[in-house]
Amino acid sequence: MGAEETGQRIIDAAMALVRDQGYTATTTKDIARVAGVNECTLFRKFQSKKDIVLHGMEQEKWRAGITPEVFQHVRWDLRADLAMFMSSYMERVTPDFVNLSIGLRAPQIYEDTAPLIMKIPETFLSALTDYFEQMARKGKIAQTDFESLALTFFSATFGYTFLSASFGAKLTGVQQRKYIENSVKVFVEGIPTP
């Protein structure tokens, strides 16, 4: 096993353990065991558990793959594009990633991980705000507070994703596809009234 492969196995073990049991409950002994190395090897590669996790946070695979490019496939059709924003986010922010994000919020590490965790909503909000601004320039939507609109839409996207990761189908039987369809409809048309 090469040095690079050993380091990656240690990172992957640490991130999986943080995802499954939280940062505080994860020990370097656990990480070494899951990675198939001894603790001495772990400490030759990394200074601490925190160091391992921060190296993991730098890797795209542990950041859900949310980049501005994810949201570039717009058709300039409000309904279709909003559905794309929601589904692209939900495809990448899996229950595993939500649980990892929760595990990375431990007080001992949160100051270091918060800016990395925030990149995901920041990317979504920035891309959606920019999209709304361009739609207004094209005359397809009215001028308004686009940042608030983006935050409202992101909240609906995040809420469903987080609740599904936390409770599965126990909370609601509304399937993801139907949720996206209904959310976009309400967002575009408003709540139907009699």
Side-chain angles (χ1 to χ4, degrees):
M1 173 176 8
E4 196 172 304
E5 183 183 339
T6 300
Q8 189 61 52
R9 284 180 46 202
I10 292 168
I11 289 170
D12 291 345
M15 299 305 271
L17 286 164
V18 168
R19 175 195 66 213
D20 295 343
Q21 60 192 32
Y23 180 81
T24 305
T26 298
T27 66
T28 54
K29 182 176 270 187
D30 292 336
I31 295 167
R33 178 182 46 75
V34 170
V37 300
N38 62 45
E39 273 189 284
C40 292
T41 301
L42 184 144
F43 285 114
R44 275 196 298 273
K45 295 259 173 225
F46 301 97
Q47 296 174 4
S48 63
K49 172 174 72 169
K50 180 178 178 178
D51 186 39
I52 300 167
V53 170
L54 293 178
H55 273 82
M57 289 293 295
E58 291 172 8
Q59 297 180 348
E60 193 65 39
K61 74 188 260 183
W62 293 109
R63 286 197 315 238
I66 300 286
T67 62
E69 295 75 30
V70 168
F71 306 114
Q72 296 302 308
H73 304 291
V74 296
R75 299 185 340 211
W76 307 113
D77 173 274
L78 188 60
R79 286 178 187 265
D81 294 339
L82 290 175
M84 178 275 295
F85 269 87
M86 263 189 158
S87 61
S88 294
Y89 179 90
M90 290 178 180
E91 285 170 12
R92 289 165 178 80
V93 181
T94 63
D96 279 350
F97 183 79
V98 170
N99 292 329
L100 174 62
S101 176
I102 292 167
L104 291 170
R105 294 169 195 265
Q108 308 91 315
I109 196 168
Y110 187 66
E111 188 175 308
D112 295 304
T113 58
L116 298 168
I117 295 168
M118 270 195 325
K119 284 184 180 184
I120 293 169
E122 286 172 344
T123 300
F124 187 101
L125 290 168
S126 174
L128 188 55
T129 301
D130 182 60
Y131 169 78
F132 286 144
E133 289 169 354
Q134 290 184 56
M135 286 290 279
R137 281 194 294 276
K138 291 176 180 292
K140 295 187 173 221
I141 62 173
Q143 283 290 336
T144 189
D145 180 351
F146 298 124
E147 190 174 354
S148 290
L149 268 185
L151 186 58
T152 299
F153 194 74
F154 174 74
S155 296
T157 305
F158 172 81
Y160 183 88
T161 305
F162 182 84
L163 293 172
S164 294
S166 299
F167 305 112
K170 293 176 194 164
L171 182 65
T172 179
V174 178
Q175 296 298 311
Q176 181 177 311
R177 184 189 58 71
K178 192 68 172 167
Y179 178 78
I180 291 171
E181 180 183 308
N182 287 336
S183 295
V184 168
K185 182 177 181 182
V186 168
F187 193 80
V188 172
E189 295 176 12
I191 298 173
T193 56

